[in-house]
Amino acid sequence: MSNNPVISIVSPIYNEVGNIQTLYGRIHAVMEATGESWELILVNDGSTDGSTEALQALYAQDPIHVRVIHFSRNFGHAVAVTAGMDYSSGHAVILIDADLQDPPEMLPDMIRKWREGYEVVYAVRTKREGESWFKLATASLFYRILYRITDVDIPLDTGDFRLMARQVVDVIDNMNEKHRFLRGMVSWVGFRQTGVEYVRDKRYSGETKYPFRKMLRFAWDGITGFSYLPLQLATYLGFAIAALSGLAILLVVYLRAFTNAEPLEGQATTLVVVLFLGSVQLISLGIIGEYLGRIYNEVRGRPLYIVSNVLGIERVSHAGACTNSTSKRRQEKKNE
Ligand code: UDP
Ligand code: MG
């Protein structure tokens, strides 16, 4: 039995009720024009705004192309996308945001590059419409820092809007990390990668799901997932402060032994030094704690996501829960 579509399009949905129909409409128009067979996998990441009903309706409208995965609660963008990849069956998988900031009209270009032999085709934003200068500035700073301190070369100005060949999708699905910094993982995997340029549109409707707090967590996932630099900072700082204190000791001995200088006034200086060292130590401990928490999360080995219901995909046995490493769906596929 092999009626697998060639292209799987995966889109995470978290409270996107106003975007679902338009997203489907534009993808449908574009994909029918390419003549490729395709499926659209919509992962409902615990929406509470009527998206759930909208997805049911969309499935009823086009059960040939539409597949829906409902999560038991909100698990976050990267996990939702991973689930979509897990359940996809196409030879190539395309990740696209549901808010139409990533224009579906780019899909044919990406597919063409894939046909030329690239395993990863990422979309590079040349311009971003309707984002605050603050978001643009922090994003730009973050990617430039990340670029400097990590060993993987994450291309600048790319998001998760990208096409991946089946080989790459399978590798990513088998990378078990719980804190998934997807764009880093895809770069890390290697293969032949290339970019196509596009202008990032405004959100079609609704609001961003990434307030500043979540963006910080996202940035921190990227850094800790791909760099030890924060851990090494304590060592570097330690050496720097030790060198400074060495000099200070020499200075004090010199003043005492060879000059008539007044003895150094103590209280305030001592306090400042103690507080400074105390805070450096606390920060270092905190950084170790961050990594430790991540290790704890990994070894606990909880499932990455919990599926409550699927539409258009053969039911993945009764449990529903599935870790990405032991995807029941994939095992079933092998058994077929
Ligand atoms: N999203 C999700 N789970 C979340 C947050 C976001 O599935 O916890 C989805 C959201 O529905 C959208 C995509 O991820 O399709 C990108 O989110 P958003 O547009 O809010 O991020 P931004 O473009 O503002 O960075
Ligand atoms: Mg968006």
Side-chain angles (χ1 to χ4, degrees):
M1 179 194 106
S2 173
N3 55 355
N4 287 348
V6 175
I7 308 285
S8 300
I9 301 159
V10 171
S11 192
I13 309 277
Y14 180 48
N15 296 345
E16 304 284 5
V17 68
N19 298 320
I20 291 172
Q21 268 300 334
T22 318
L23 176 74
Y24 167 78
R26 279 171 62 178
I27 288 180
H28 187 276
V30 167
M31 289 310 294
E32 288 302 302
T34 62
E36 306 274 8
S37 61
W38 58 283
E39 65 179 354
L40 173 61
I41 304 178
L42 298 160
V43 185
N44 178 12
D45 188 13
S47 299
T48 52
D49 71 337
S51 295
T52 307
E53 292 71 26
L55 289 172
Q56 304 288 114
L58 186 64
Y59 175 69
Q61 184 186 326
D62 181 0
I64 308 278
H65 294 116
V66 175
R67 326 246 181 274
V68 181
I69 302 164
H70 292 292
F71 277 180
S72 63
R73 62 169 170 85
N74 180 255
F75 281 87
H77 166 268
V79 175
V81 167
T82 305
M85 286 161 61
D86 250 346
Y87 281 77
S88 70
S89 45
H91 300 302
V93 177
I94 300 176
L95 311 182
I96 186 168
D97 280 358
D99 59 2
L100 294 160
Q101 283 194 288
D102 308 331
E105 289 68 30
M106 289 299 298
L107 300 187
D109 281 354
M110 298 167 101
I111 295 169
R112 204 170 308 123
K113 285 278 179 199
W114 169 60
R115 292 270 184 221
E116 282 171 22
Y118 292 98
E119 279 97 359
V120 175
V121 185
Y122 49 84
V124 186
R125 330 179 248 250
T126 52
K127 230 170 114 198
R128 291 173 98 168
E129 305 274 356
E131 306 250 37
S132 68
W133 67 267
F134 183 72
K135 177 149 187 169
L136 295 186
T138 46
S140 153
L141 181 70
F142 167 66
Y143 284 108
R144 276 152 189 89
I145 292 178
L146 197 69
Y147 191 77
R148 292 198 149 237
I149 68 175
T150 59
D151 323 323
V152 282
D153 289 342
I154 299 164
L156 291 175
D157 300 316
T158 64
D160 289 320
F161 185 24
R162 60 185 68 218
L163 177 150
M164 286 169 282
R166 173 53 49 193
Q167 281 165 293
V168 178
V169 173
D170 285 346
V171 175
I172 301 265
D173 275 350
N174 282 308
M175 287 164 75
N176 282 318
E177 53 221 75
K178 301 284 185 285
H179 297 266
R180 300 177 80 79
F181 187 67
L182 219 56
R183 42 200 91 161
M185 292 162 69
V186 176
S187 304
W188 181 86
V189 163
F191 291 105
R192 273 159 301 172
Q193 310 209 355
T194 187
V196 289
E197 295 191 335
Y198 79 114
V199 176
R200 189 157 167 88
D201 288 334
K202 281 203 276 292
R203 224 175 200 284
Y204 183 72
S205 105
E207 288 182 351
T208 176
K209 311 300 181 304
Y210 274 94
F212 187 61
R213 185 177 44 82
K214 266 186 159 179
M215 264 168 51
L216 269 185
R217 201 187 318 144
F218 174 78
W220 193 231
D221 274 347
I223 292 174
T224 52
F226 288 91
S227 167
Y228 299 126
L229 186 73
L231 282 175
Q232 293 161 338
L233 275 182
T235 320
Y236 298 147
L237 261 175
F239 276 117
I241 295 174
L244 264 179
S245 351
L247 288 178
I249 290 170
L250 288 180
L251 180 69
V252 171
V253 169
Y254 170 79
L255 289 178
R256 186 84 184 154
F258 302 105
T259 70
N260 300 327
E262 293 285 309
L264 286 175
E265 296 275 325
Q267 278 279 17
T269 345
T270 318
L271 249 179
V272 167
V273 170
V274 168
L275 285 179
F276 173 73
L277 276 184
S279 44
V280 167
Q281 285 173 346
L282 282 180
I283 293 171
S284 309
L285 262 183
I287 291 177
I288 297 175
E290 287 286 338
Y291 280 85
L292 189 68
R294 280 169 165 68
I295 297 172
Y296 180 49
N297 246 343
E298 299 295 340
V299 297
R300 208 161 37 183
R302 290 191 181 161
L304 194 58
Y305 55 84
I306 300 168
V307 171
S308 68
N309 192 16
V310 291
L311 294 173
I313 301 167
E314 315 95 83
R315 183 75 197 180
V316 284
S317 94
H318 45 279
C322 94
T323 59
N324 60 333
S325 59
T326 53
S327 159
K328 295 197 178 75
R329 164 145 170 93
R330 214 171 318 113
Q331 282 171 0
E332 275 182 2
K333 263 195 275 176
K334 279 197 199 113
N335 297 340
E336 272 168 18

